[in-house]
Amino acid sequence: MNFLEKIMKKLTERQMDKRPHAHFCTLKIATRSQTRDFFTAIKGKETLSLIAEIKRASPSKGRFPIKYSPAELAKIYEQNGAHAISVVTEERFFCGTLPMLKEVRSATSLP
């Protein structure tokens, strides 16, 4: 089993354990009054669309040296032309959290 297959196996197992919680989170996000259209933000641009990513670690490189909070990074990305932001919330392999998503959402108008 290669590394990616191991990650997918662990994520699938964890998702099965959290199924009621995941459903609640999906429902809560889906019922927000103000949504941000990711697809519209990146399509039809005359230049390359940039999706900036916020994550604290990667399975191959380990934890990253963190100099900025997720909110600070989101502001920097927006000021420098990002069209959208991807926040990696997976906990075990990427050291992400759902509160990171909320923090980024509060700091920027980007989807």
Side-chain angles (χ1 to χ4, degrees):
M1 183 180 302
N2 70 34
F3 195 69
L4 184 56
E5 289 170 333
K6 288 178 187 176
I7 291 173
M8 292 305 295
K9 183 177 186 289
K10 288 290 184 188
L11 292 176
T12 302
E13 289 169 1
R14 194 168 342 134
Q15 191 61 33
M16 294 306 281
D17 292 341
K18 290 184 175 182
R19 200 161 258 198
H21 176 71
H23 175 68
F24 174 76
C25 289
T26 303
L27 179 62
K28 192 170 183 173
I29 290 169
T31 58
R32 289 184 182 245
S33 60
Q34 181 186 8
T35 60
R36 299 179 188 175
D37 190 347
F38 189 87
F39 183 71
T40 300
I42 63 171
K43 76 169 192 157
K45 304 289 182 201
E46 291 186 23
T47 60
L48 184 66
S49 294
L50 177 64
I51 302 169
E53 184 173 71
I54 296 176
K55 63 182 177 183
R56 293 185 171 152
S58 79
S60 61
K61 300 290 183 187
R63 289 189 68 86
F64 301 138
I66 299 173
K67 296 180 182 178
Y68 303 101
S69 71
E72 290 170 321
L73 279 176
K75 290 176 187 175
I76 291 168
Y77 289 159
E78 185 171 29
Q79 291 166 356
N80 287 281
H83 296 99
I85 298 176
S86 170
V87 181
V88 181
T89 60
E90 194 283 323
E91 297 167 357
R92 181 171 182 190
F93 298 102
F94 295 93
C95 301
T97 64
L98 283 175
M100 284 174 57
L101 186 60
K102 185 176 181 180
E103 184 180 342
V104 168
R105 183 179 172 87
S106 296
T108 181
S109 62
L110 295 175

